[in-house]
Amino acid sequence: GAGVSQSPRYKVAKRGQDVALRCDPISGHVSLFWYQQALGQGPEFLTYFQNEAQLDKSGLPSDRFFAERPEGSVSTLKIQRTQQEDSAVYLCASSLLFGENQPQHFGDGTRLSIL
Amino acid sequence: GQQVMQIPQYQHVQEGEDFTTYCNSSTTLSNIQWYKQRPGGHPVFLIQLVKSGEVKKQKRLTFQFGEAKKNSSLHITATQTTDVGTYFCAGPDSSNTGKLIFGQGTTLQVKP
C-alpha cells in the first residue's frame, strides 16, 4: 500500500480483556517500530523489528505486552489482561532500511480505551 | 537515560506572526529529525539534520542543528492556519537501531 496501515483505528475493551493491534508497514520496509503515545505527549518507543527479528523490546511496559512480525511484514502488538493505564494511542512506524538515519513513516495509530 | 526536551509546550500566535520551538538533548546526537502531527493525525516526517551547525529551509520553515549537536530549533515565518499542529523533534538513541527518542512536542495554535 501507499502508507503504513493500522487496524483497528479505535478499540474499546474492558479491563482484563486481551487485545490485538495490527500494523501493515510500507511494502519492502525492513524496520518496524511500535510506539505508545499518551495524550499530550510524544511517542514513546515500545519495540523494534528488523525484518522478522525482534531486536529491541526494551520499551514494552510489562510482560503483558507481546509483539511479533513472523514473516517480516505485518506485525501484531498484543496486550493481555488489559489495564486502564494501557489506554493510549499505539503507533506503528516503518522505515526502508535499518540504522539511525532513516526517516520513519507512521500509521494513523490505534486509539485504545480500557474501561 | 537519554532525554529530549522541547519548549515551549504550547504557543498561540496570531496569523502572520513568527513561531519558534526549541529542542535540547541530554546527549550528543548523530542526527535530529522533526515531525509534525496534526490534531487527530499521526506524526509526519518533515526533515532530518545531520551536520553540526546545519541549517535547512522548507518554504517558511527553517531548521537548525546546533554546533554541539545537542540542540535544534524550528522557526516558522509568517504563520498560517495550515501550520496548526504539534511539532516534535526526535533523536536516535545509542543503539543504532533507528529507535527514536521524542520530545514532548510544541503545540501551535494560530488565530486567523
Side-chain angles (χ1 to χ4, degrees):
Chain A
V4 178
S5 177
Q6 290 187 247
S7 61
R9 270 294 263 136
Y10 303 92
K11 176 70 178 176
V12 179
K14 291 183 180 178
R15 190 176 57 178
Q17 288 183 329
D18 298 350
V19 298
L21 313 180
R22 176 189 168 104
C23 172
D24 202 338
I26 295 172
S27 178
H29 277 202
V30 166
S31 295
L32 186 147
F33 303 84
W34 284 97
Y35 293 88
Q36 181 189 63
Q37 186 175 26
L39 192 63
Q41 300 296 316
E44 290 196 1
F45 171 81
L46 293 176
T47 188
Y48 163 69
F49 290 86
Q50 182 177 316
N51 295 309
E52 69 280 2
Q54 188 176 21
L55 298 186
D56 188 341
K57 52 182 181 179
S58 62
L60 296 177
S62 75
D63 57 8
R64 296 185 295 104
F65 287 71
F66 171 76
E68 60 182 2
R69 193 186 185 198
E71 297 178 358
S73 55
V74 171
S75 177
T76 303
L77 176 66
K78 297 178 180 177
I79 309 174
Q80 297 177 322
R81 305 181 303 282
T82 51
Q83 302 294 316
Q84 283 193 320
E85 62 262 28
D86 300 334
S87 296
V89 175
Y90 291 84
L91 293 165
C92 175
S94 69
S95 59
L96 179 61
L97 301 173
F98 62 90
E100 59 186 17
N101 286 346
Q102 299 293 309
Q104 294 185 16
H105 304 267
F106 283 82
D108 286 334
T110 294
R111 183 175 297 276
L112 176 64
S113 298
I114 305 299
L115 304 178
Chain B
Q2 182 180 353
Q3 290 187 319
V4 175
M5 306 295 291
Q6 270 184 269
I7 56 169
Q9 189 173 1
Y10 300 99
Q11 185 80 56
H12 295 251
V13 301
Q14 199 73 38
E15 188 173 22
E17 292 181 338
D18 292 355
F19 159 77
T20 305
T21 173
Y22 300 91
C23 177
N24 279 286
S25 170
S26 59
T27 61
T28 301
L29 300 171
S30 61
N31 71 83
I32 194 150
Q33 299 181 19
W34 284 90
Y35 290 79
K36 178 182 179 181
Q37 187 172 25
R38 293 182 186 273
H42 59 271
V44 174
F45 175 79
L46 294 177
I47 208 161
Q48 177 179 264
L49 304 171
V50 178
K51 298 177 184 175
S52 169
E54 188 170 14
V55 178
K56 285 189 176 180
K57 292 190 175 185
Q58 287 180 350
K59 297 183 180 177
R60 294 177 295 104
L61 278 61
T62 302
F63 302 84
Q64 292 189 325
F65 200 11
E67 294 290 339
K69 301 183 76 172
K70 293 182 71 174
N71 61 286
S72 182
S73 65
L74 158 59
H75 180 81
I76 303 178
T77 304
T79 54
Q80 300 176 358
T81 54
T82 52
D83 296 325
V84 164
T86 301
Y87 294 85
F88 293 100
C89 62
D93 88 333
S94 55
S95 66
N96 198 32
T97 60
K99 162 184 171 182
L100 291 174
I101 309 298
F102 281 81
Q104 65 267 53
T106 296
T107 298
L108 173 64
Q109 296 279 9
V110 179
K111 299 178 208 174

